[in-house]
Amino acid sequence: MEDSLTAYPPSISHDQLSSLIFNIKDWQITHGMQLKYGPDVESVSSTPIGVTVFPTTFPRALFEQAQALQPVYNRLYAAISEDEKWLYKVLTGLIDDGRFAAVLWGIHQQVKEEGYVQDITLGIFRSDYMVHVTPNPDPLAHHPQMELRQIELNTFSVAGGAHSNKTAQMHQFMLNNGSYTFLHSPQLSNNKIPKNETIDSLAAGLRSAHTAYGQSRYVKSSTPGILFVVQPRNVNICDERPLEYVLWEHDIPAYRAIFGAQLLEHTTLSPSRELLYQPSSLSEGVEIAVVYMRAGYDSEEYSLGGIEARLRLERSRAIKCPSILSHLATFKKVQQELAVPGVLEKFLSSEEAAIVSRTFAPMFPLDKESRAGRIGRQLACDPATASSYVLKPSLEGGGHNIYRRDIPGLLSNTPEAQWHTYILMELVNPLIQKNILLTPRGIYDKVAAIEDRSDFDAENEAEEQSSLDRLSTKEGGPTVSELGIFGVCMWKKPGPGWDWIMLNVEAGWSFKTKPDYIDEISVVKGFGCFDSPLLIDT
Amino acid sequence: MEDSLTAYPPSISHDQLSSLIFNIKDWQITHGMQLKYGPDVESVSSTPIGVTVFPTTFPRALFEQAQALQPVYNRLYAAISEDEKWLYKVLTGLIDDGRFAAVLWGIHQQVKEEGYVQDITLGIFRSDYMVHVTPNPDPLAHHPQMELRQIELNTFSVAGGAHSNKTAQMHQFMLNNGSYTFLHSPQLSNNKIPKNETIDSLAAGLRSAHTAYGQSRYVKSSTPGILFVVQPRNVNICDERPLEYVLWEHDIPAYRAIFGAQLLEHTTLSPSRELLYQPSSLSEGVEIAVVYMRAGYDSEEYSLGGIEARLRLERSRAIKCPSILSHLATFKKVQQELAVPGVLEKFLSSEEAAIVSRTFAPMFPLDKESRAGRIGRQLACDPATASSYVLKPSLEGGGHNIYRRDIPGLLSNTPEAQWHTYILMELVNPLIQKNILLTPRGIYDKVAAIEDRSDFDAENEAEEQSSLDRLSTKEGGPTVSELGIFGVCMWKKPGPGWDWIMLNVEAGWSFKTKPDYIDEISVVKGFGCFDSPLLIDT
């Protein structure tokens, strides 16, 4: 593998890079790999989303390990979502705090008091990993030791499925048409990008839930629909719309409603709590079989209107993708609790627990009561030890993390009573590779860095980019990649004498690559790119 | 039909129009119906190409008539392309003039002297029609009389195939998903958009030519390729790239070269005149089986480098789509000559000539020798009669036309010796319908006009658009549509004892709609939109 790191991808000429970029951007524009901009329906423009020029090599064994793990992770998080008492115990500190977790828990409590009318839940999950490199204990060994480390498991509003699907098609197209032939690269000629049919797989999950819901109960004249709950002024429609189009191809009506006031305006509950959606194009409302959440993941979306909208969805008979308890299962605090020895065995067999926990990084709470919490505090407050850790607020999916030597300062400015809302996680020592990244912030290669500016505005930046010519070499810069495995799981409230898991499949992958000096990947913000893994046998 | 004109499409509310536009733009972005902007490979953006909100009704009988005519038109223009003497006779005035026709003729002469080494030609043609309305002689008849009038036949660098294909898909998607249901429109519920698989049909034509070329003769190690000859800084890649992608799916290598210097740099002729193209991605050149011209239609492209590039292509053994004589057959002078009674019969049976000529508008030359020319001069110089005519320079495909009362003035400022380079054509009295047009220049409806500004710059205009809210009504404005029928024809030099036509098929349609007060449709410039015909039985 070390050989391949230095050799792949090799330097190329200005003309060759130019031609590759030209072909990539045209493919993206023609295939809808875009970010959409524009204040209203009338003036709309778009730019290609960030992608890598080359696929990045990835160890086949680790890729297959991640795929094989997914059904186990699916069932684990389904089980957690149905264990209200355990979830409450784990999240109780956050709930008492009165912030985001408390809002969601409050909605759950309110619906629970009235009684849930739907006992089926659909989960579309994504488990994210990086390759962690450890020194090989055998000094004569040629290769460093590599293992899969889970970064997080997302249960809510999981993105990147459609873009990843198309990125795989794009890199495969480039491989097929000889775009990389001049490189004479054994990696590119001997290895394969794994199939990625995430769009169809995720849509199949939504279709299964639609089937499970059955016929319309209230609006008997029409087929029930699937409602995509989305954010306003959404730049990432190209990651959502393809799923809708597949559903329509299968004669399943799919609609979009903006979370909050617009959703409240266009939906009602029938007396028997069927969710009815009124599209502007129809005179009669449509009964909703499945609510697919692509919004509502940020605490700032929960104004009074946001809370009321979420409450209406949860009260309804529609199958939620996912339920509010599944949403709460994505909080970091849950991830950290699962890493406590013995906890996984509550949900999994000991064999399963063993293979799952092998992907966990060392994690610590920061409470002052537990022994683990006291160790965590010690590691976090000392700049020397903090430099190997990341501090994660126990919020939704990602972001807002604090890294390395910033941790002690952050903690000293935070009241100690709040420390328990964070978890401390050992940083991955990532496998460094090379690539050229095409981002809305410009091209990243060996000499050109992507600017880490907080005032960056992709919409207005395109024109200001300096030209390709500024790059003195056309050689990849150091990069780090993150593999996501999608999972689709559908289950009903567990009860005696039935198989509560109705559907449990691995459902495709996403693969993102960023400059090695940037901590968090956000393709939409212009940090990092969609990529494809080129599976190699190490 | 008159009923339907007033009733279709009905007015809709602001919210309904908003929702339709939102769904249309997202579909376009996701499916690559875009215009591409940006100075170089690095900063690229795109905006959705102009489309109509609704499909426009079109008489089924006239649509089917146009489809049935296409194979006859294909063979007619193939025959013209092989009749060098007749072409020379028709174009001699233009050739003597020393302008664009002379440049092309000169290239032909040069290759002819050396001897052509390829006797097969591929034609991708498009015959454009409008519906001409004449008063019904029966005063009790409810409907006006409608007939098909040919506007022009394009033999060279014919565009719009991919966009039209996708426009049909888009409107069909909107019909299927109930986007128009609220209109309760009998037109939308009872009528059909005809199938349009232009991308596959045109690619199939290119594939047939690729098969006809046979194996590589010079670069024996690889499959021969197809070369798309394109313009620099091409905004319309979404109309070309899809054909390339289909070819690659069939394992046919497809490359792009920019007409002029870049083409000269990347191509050579082998001693036996095989055309060799050097892609920047390969170390070895590729032998080109088919040259597909999507550039070279404008006289300004024929700098010395342009002339040399075209000469190299024509000298080569590659099958040209189309040949230089087929290119010359697209000049307006040819169209006008074909309208002279008796001329069609030179190429077609009398039955065929009769059905073809039925689509011709009255046309006149402007020479002073012929009787028809003298009539033409009289009609053109009198403002009263000129108001029913359009004056067309006998150049390439379209554009540069002079309309109605502008004609006498133009002629009085043009030396009489130049008049013969124009043809005079009776204007169609078009069927006026209604629609809402979404163009890069803004929305066109009953009250909002699209500005006819020569300094319009679509790339920078998007941000300046006023909002949808300025529209006081949401009702379609008066529109005029143009139907194009694509044809694919492959033939070899006619000789005794063989069937010279190798392939002759109708290959899909394009349908464009513009505000009724704008004379020329140019979707790329923001005048007019792609549309779909909704076939009705009148």
Side-chain angles (χ1 to χ4, degrees):
Chain A
M1 187 94 180
E2 248 175 291
D3 282 345
S4 65
L5 290 192
T6 48
Y8 177 79
S11 309
I12 57 179
S13 72
H14 176 279
D15 277 6
Q16 287 165 336
L17 179 58
S18 233
S19 162
L20 283 177
I21 296 176
F22 191 70
N23 286 327
I24 287 171
K25 300 256 180 185
D26 278 10
W27 200 98
Q28 292 189 275
I29 293 171
T30 319
H31 290 80
M33 285 185 73
Q34 305 259 47
L35 292 171
K36 173 188 170 187
Y37 300 112
D40 60 31
V41 292
E42 216 178 329
S43 53
V44 159
S45 72
S46 52
T47 59
I49 199 163
V51 291
T52 58
V53 170
F54 304 99
T56 294
T57 55
F58 193 89
R60 180 189 306 277
L62 299 188
F63 184 86
E64 290 172 354
Q65 183 193 345
Q67 281 189 311
L69 275 173
Q70 194 55 40
V72 184
Y73 269 122
N74 287 346
R75 186 154 40 77
L76 171 62
Y77 275 81
I80 290 170
S81 306
E82 293 298 331
D83 196 336
E84 185 200 358
K85 279 187 193 156
W86 184 84
L87 259 182
Y88 183 74
K89 198 187 72 186
V90 173
L91 299 174
T92 184
L94 298 174
I95 292 166
D96 291 348
D97 238 39
R99 293 197 292 185
F100 191 25
V103 171
L104 296 179
W105 192 264
I107 294 169
H108 161 63
Q109 282 302 111
Q110 212 172 327
V111 183
K112 193 183 158 193
E113 266 167 42
E114 187 183 11
Y116 277 99
V117 286
Q118 179 57 261
D119 59 4
I120 297 174
T121 300
L122 178 69
I124 291 181
F125 301 149
R126 200 190 65 227
S127 185
D128 292 336
Y129 305 91
M130 290 173 84
V131 174
H132 180 61
V133 181
T134 54
N136 198 310
D138 173 3
L140 295 177
H142 191 65
H143 299 304
Q145 231 164 4
M146 294 187 288
E147 58 185 43
L148 213 53
R149 275 265 173 106
Q150 188 184 49
I151 304 304
E152 64 192 10
L153 190 137
N154 302 286
T155 65
F156 194 79
S157 190
V158 169
H163 284 305
S164 301
N165 190 320
K166 292 187 179 183
T167 304
Q169 289 177 330
M170 182 195 79
H171 281 131
Q172 191 61 57
F173 172 71
M174 307 275 288
L175 281 170
N176 292 351
N177 78 4
S179 292
Y180 302 125
T181 304
F182 66 95
L183 290 167
H184 303 294
S185 156
Q187 285 86 352
L188 285 164
S189 36
N190 301 331
N191 302 295
K192 296 259 178 298
I193 294 170
K195 213 165 68 171
N196 197 20
E197 293 170 346
T198 312
I199 296 171
D200 280 342
S201 302
L202 301 188
L206 294 168
R207 286 162 56 206
S208 296
H210 184 265
T211 304
Y213 183 86
Q215 294 304 304
S216 299
R217 293 156 161 250
Y218 192 78
V219 187
K220 293 195 172 152
S221 56
S222 62
T223 312
I226 295 182
L227 190 65
F228 286 49
V229 178
V230 299
Q231 290 194 330
R233 294 204 54 187
N234 187 352
V235 299
N236 209 15
I237 56 131
C238 288
D239 199 54
E240 298 166 1
R241 288 287 199 179
L243 300 179
E244 286 177 62
Y245 301 143
V246 172
L247 293 173
W248 280 108
E249 276 169 26
H250 288 89
D251 297 319
I252 296 178
Y255 299 99
R256 299 167 75 76
I258 295 172
F259 189 64
Q262 202 223 37
L263 188 135
L264 288 170
E265 192 187 324
H266 286 266
T267 59
T268 48
L269 289 186
S270 76
S272 44
R273 286 155 69 185
E274 280 79 25
L275 180 64
L276 309 177
Y277 173 71
Q278 181 59 59
S280 62
S281 60
L282 300 180
S283 47
E284 207 183 22
V286 175
E287 185 168 331
I288 297 300
V290 184
V291 169
Y292 177 38
M293 300 297 292
R294 292 292 297 249
Y297 51 81
D298 197 292
S299 58
E300 303 204 345
E301 293 173 82
Y302 289 83
S303 61
L304 285 182
I307 292 172
E308 195 185 337
R310 187 74 190 265
L311 181 64
R312 182 175 299 170
L313 299 176
E314 296 301 320
R315 288 184 64 217
S316 80
R317 192 179 298 280
I319 296 175
K320 269 70 73 186
C321 177
S323 68
I324 209 150
L325 290 180
S326 311
H327 186 170
L328 283 160
T330 212
F331 278 58
K332 294 288 176 294
K333 192 75 192 152
V334 170
Q335 188 187 8
Q336 176 260 309
E337 181 70 18
L338 290 174
V340 173
V343 172
L344 273 181
E345 284 78 357
K346 179 173 163 54
F347 303 102
L348 301 174
S349 72
S350 55
E351 292 77 15
E352 289 170 335
I355 59 163
V356 163
S357 63
R358 212 173 294 151
T359 64
F360 289 172
M363 273 176 276
F364 301 91
L366 290 182
D367 64 288
K368 61 179 174 192
E369 292 78 21
S370 71
R371 185 177 131 74
R374 288 191 299 270
I375 296 175
R377 287 176 168 228
Q378 202 167 3
L379 291 167
C381 293
D382 180 347
T385 47
S387 66
S388 304
Y389 287 86
V390 52
L391 187 70
K392 298 187 173 191
S394 193
L395 291 172
E396 73 290 354
H400 313 291
N401 296 341
I402 298 96
Y403 289 86
R404 304 182 190 84
R405 287 165 192 272
D406 292 343
I407 299 173
L410 183 279
L411 286 177
S412 68
N413 288 324
T414 306
E416 245 189 278
Q418 291 298 322
W419 288 17
H420 70 95
T421 63
Y422 290 96
I423 69 157
L424 189 72
M425 187 171 166
E426 190 185 281
L427 282 166
V428 170
N429 177 38
L431 178 65
I432 308 290
Q433 305 215 51
K434 284 200 311 187
N435 216 323
I436 298 175
L437 311 185
L438 310 179
T439 85
R441 289 170 189 264
I443 296 177
Y444 168 78
D445 75 345
K446 192 180 174 186
V447 295
I450 300 175
E451 285 175 77
D452 186 0
R453 280 163 38 204
S454 58
D455 63 343
F456 173 76
D457 175 4
E459 184 170 358
N460 297 313
E461 206 80 353
E463 288 304 314
E464 295 168 27
Q465 289 305 329
S466 54
S467 122
L468 183 62
D469 298 320
R470 76 174 152 69
L471 304 185
S472 59
T473 67
K474 307 291 173 273
E475 190 175 332
T479 59
V480 167
S481 301
E482 188 174 298
L483 172 69
I485 301 288
F486 288 93
V488 171
C489 190
M490 184 164 65
W491 67 90
K492 56 189 164 190
K493 206 176 170 55
W498 68 59
D499 292 328
W500 66 288
I501 297 277
M502 303 167 76
L503 174 73
N504 182 8
V505 290
E506 175 267 309
W509 50 263
S510 79
F511 194 64
K512 297 176 204 158
T513 294
K514 63 175 179 70
D516 68 338
Y517 62 86
I518 283 176
D519 279 319
E520 294 202 48
I521 291 186
S522 171
V523 182
V524 169
K525 289 184 191 156
F527 292 128
C529 288
F530 284 105
D531 192 356
S532 306
L534 193 64
L535 299 187
I536 57 168
D537 297 297
T538 50
Chain B
M1 187 88 179
E2 250 174 292
D3 282 346
S4 65
L5 290 192
T6 49
Y8 176 79
S11 307
I12 57 178
S13 72
H14 175 279
D15 276 5
Q16 287 165 335
L17 179 57
S18 235
S19 162
L20 283 176
I21 295 176
F22 192 70
N23 286 327
I24 287 171
K25 300 255 179 185
D26 278 9
W27 200 97
Q28 292 188 275
I29 293 171
T30 319
H31 290 80
M33 286 185 72
Q34 305 263 51
L35 293 171
K36 173 188 169 187
Y37 301 112
D40 59 31
V41 290
E42 217 180 328
S43 53
V44 158
S45 72
S46 53
T47 59
I49 199 162
V51 291
T52 59
V53 170
F54 304 98
T56 294
T57 56
F58 193 90
R60 180 189 306 277
L62 299 189
F63 184 85
E64 289 173 354
Q65 182 193 344
Q67 280 188 311
L69 274 172
Q70 194 56 39
V72 184
Y73 268 122
N74 287 346
R75 187 154 38 78
L76 171 63
Y77 275 80
I80 290 171
S81 305
E82 292 299 331
D83 196 336
E84 185 201 358
K85 279 186 194 155
W86 184 85
L87 259 182
Y88 182 74
K89 198 187 72 187
V90 173
L91 299 174
T92 186
L94 299 174
I95 293 167
D96 291 348
D97 240 39
R99 294 198 292 185
F100 191 24
V103 170
L104 296 178
W105 192 264
I107 294 169
H108 161 62
Q109 283 301 111
Q110 213 173 322
V111 183
K112 194 183 158 195
E113 268 168 41
E114 187 181 12
Y116 278 97
V117 287
Q118 179 57 260
D119 59 5
I120 297 175
T121 299
L122 178 69
I124 292 182
F125 301 150
R126 200 191 65 227
S127 185
D128 292 337
Y129 306 91
M130 290 173 83
V131 174
H132 180 62
V133 181
T134 54
N136 197 311
D138 172 3
L140 295 177
H142 190 65
H143 299 303
Q145 232 167 1
M146 293 187 289
E147 58 186 43
L148 213 53
R149 275 262 174 109
Q150 189 185 48
I151 304 304
E152 64 192 10
L153 190 135
N154 302 286
T155 65
F156 193 78
S157 190
V158 168
H163 284 305
S164 301
N165 190 319
K166 293 187 179 183
T167 304
Q169 288 178 329
M170 181 195 79
H171 282 130
Q172 191 61 57
F173 173 71
M174 307 275 288
L175 281 170
N176 291 352
N177 78 5
S179 292
Y180 303 125
T181 305
F182 67 94
L183 290 167
H184 303 294
S185 157
Q187 285 86 352
L188 284 165
S189 37
N190 301 332
N191 301 296
K192 296 262 178 296
I193 294 170
K195 214 165 69 169
N196 197 21
E197 293 170 347
T198 312
I199 295 171
D200 281 341
S201 302
L202 301 188
L206 293 168
R207 286 163 54 206
S208 295
H210 184 264
T211 303
Y213 183 85
Q215 293 306 303
S216 300
R217 292 154 160 253
Y218 191 77
V219 187
K220 294 194 171 152
S221 57
S222 62
T223 313
I226 296 184
L227 189 65
F228 286 49
V229 178
V230 299
Q231 290 193 331
R233 294 204 54 185
N234 186 352
V235 299
N236 209 16
I237 56 129
C238 288
D239 200 52
E240 297 166 1
R241 288 288 198 178
L243 300 179
E244 285 177 61
Y245 300 144
V246 172
L247 293 173
W248 278 108
E249 277 170 26
H250 288 89
D251 296 320
I252 296 178
Y255 298 99
R256 299 168 76 76
I258 295 172
F259 189 64
Q262 202 223 37
L263 188 133
L264 287 171
E265 193 186 323
H266 286 267
T267 60
T268 48
L269 289 185
S270 75
S272 44
R273 286 155 71 184
E274 281 78 26
L275 181 64
L276 309 177
Y277 174 70
Q278 180 60 59
S280 62
S281 61
L282 300 181
S283 47
E284 207 183 22
V286 175
E287 184 168 332
I288 296 300
V290 185
V291 169
Y292 177 39
M293 300 297 292
R294 293 293 298 251
Y297 51 81
D298 198 291
S299 58
E300 303 203 347
E301 294 174 81
Y302 289 82
S303 60
L304 285 181
I307 292 172
E308 196 185 337
R310 188 74 190 264
L311 182 65
R312 183 175 300 170
L313 298 176
E314 297 301 319
R315 289 185 63 217
S316 81
R317 191 178 298 278
I319 296 175
K320 268 70 72 186
C321 176
S323 68
I324 209 149
L325 290 181
S326 311
H327 186 171
L328 283 160
T330 212
F331 277 58
K332 294 288 176 295
K333 193 75 193 149
V334 170
Q335 188 187 8
Q336 175 261 308
E337 181 68 18
L338 289 174
V340 172
V343 171
L344 273 181
E345 284 78 356
K346 179 172 163 55
F347 302 104
L348 300 175
S349 73
S350 56
E351 292 77 15
E352 289 170 336
I355 59 163
V356 162
S357 63
R358 212 173 293 150
T359 64
F360 288 173
M363 273 177 276
F364 300 90
L366 290 183
D367 63 290
K368 61 179 172 192
E369 291 79 20
S370 72
R371 185 177 131 72
R374 287 190 301 271
I375 296 174
R377 287 176 168 229
Q378 202 168 2
L379 291 167
C381 293
D382 180 345
T385 48
S387 66
S388 305
Y389 286 86
V390 51
L391 187 70
K392 297 187 172 190
S394 194
L395 290 173
E396 72 292 353
H400 312 292
N401 295 340
I402 299 98
Y403 289 86
R404 304 181 190 87
R405 286 162 194 275
D406 291 343
I407 297 172
L410 182 279
L411 287 177
S412 69
N413 288 324
T414 305
E416 245 187 279
Q418 291 297 320
W419 290 17
H420 70 94
T421 63
Y422 291 96
I423 69 157
L424 190 73
M425 187 171 166
E426 190 185 281
L427 282 166
V428 170
N429 177 39
L431 177 66
I432 307 290
Q433 306 215 50
K434 283 200 311 187
N435 216 323
I436 298 175
L437 312 185
L438 310 179
T439 85
R441 289 171 188 265
I443 296 178
Y444 168 79
D445 75 345
K446 191 178 173 185
V447 294
I450 299 176
E451 285 175 75
D452 187 358
R453 281 162 37 204
S454 59
D455 63 342
F456 174 76
D457 174 3
E459 184 169 356
N460 297 314
E461 206 81 353
E463 288 303 313
E464 294 169 27
Q465 289 304 330
S466 53
S467 120
L468 183 62
D469 299 320
R470 73 173 155 69
L471 304 184
S472 59
T473 68
K474 307 291 172 275
E475 191 175 331
T479 58
V480 167
S481 301
E482 188 173 299
L483 172 69
I485 302 288
F486 287 93
V488 171
C489 191
M490 183 164 65
W491 68 91
K492 55 190 163 193
K493 206 176 171 54
W498 67 59
D499 293 328
W500 65 289
I501 296 277
M502 303 168 76
L503 175 74
N504 183 7
V505 290
E506 175 266 312
W509 49 263
S510 77
F511 194 64
K512 295 176 205 161
T513 294
K514 63 175 179 70
D516 69 338
Y517 63 85
I518 283 178
D519 279 319
E520 293 202 48
I521 291 187
S522 171
V523 181
V524 169
K525 289 184 191 155
F527 292 129
C529 288
F530 283 106
D531 192 356
S532 306
L534 193 64
L535 299 187
I536 57 168
D537 296 298
T538 51

